[in-house]
């Protein structure tokens, strides 16, 4: 997962709360907020999985999130 895909997934699943989720929600498995974790070099996929677990998102959200739809 690229950083751009991570940010797209956060926007898709959290909408108006995305900024708060990135900046204020400390992820227990990582010990940092999502933004701080990404800035510290934690892979976006790892941060996304931790965010999904903390927010209790469905399993389907964890795989393929943030990918653009295929071109027609």
């Amino acid at each position: 997962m690229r950083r751009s895909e991570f940010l797209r997934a956060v926007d898709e699943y959290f909408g108006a709360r995305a900024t708060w989720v990135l900046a204020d929600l400390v992820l227990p498995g990582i010990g940092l907020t999502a933004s701080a974790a990404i800035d510290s070099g934690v892979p976006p996929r790892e941060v996304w999985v931790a965010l999904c677990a903390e927010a209790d998102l469905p399993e389907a959200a964890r795989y393929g999130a943030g990918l653009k739809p295929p071109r027609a």
Side-chain angles (χ1 to χ4, degrees):
M1 172 178 259
R2 296 178 181 171
R3 185 180 185 137
S4 61
E5 294 166 343
F6 170 78
L7 294 173
R8 197 175 303 121
V10 171
D11 282 340
E12 179 182 334
Y13 283 95
F14 295 100
R17 298 179 301 151
T19 301
W20 175 83
V21 167
L22 290 172
D24 294 334
L25 180 65
V26 175
L27 302 171
I30 298 175
L32 299 167
T33 64
S35 290
I38 295 285
D39 291 344
S40 295
V42 178
R45 167 62 64 197
E46 186 177 330
V47 176
W48 177 245
V49 170
L51 188 56
C52 288
E54 182 62 19
D56 202 25
L57 292 180
E59 281 291 321
R62 298 173 194 213
Y63 305 101
L67 294 177
K68 290 183 179 179
R71 295 182 189 176

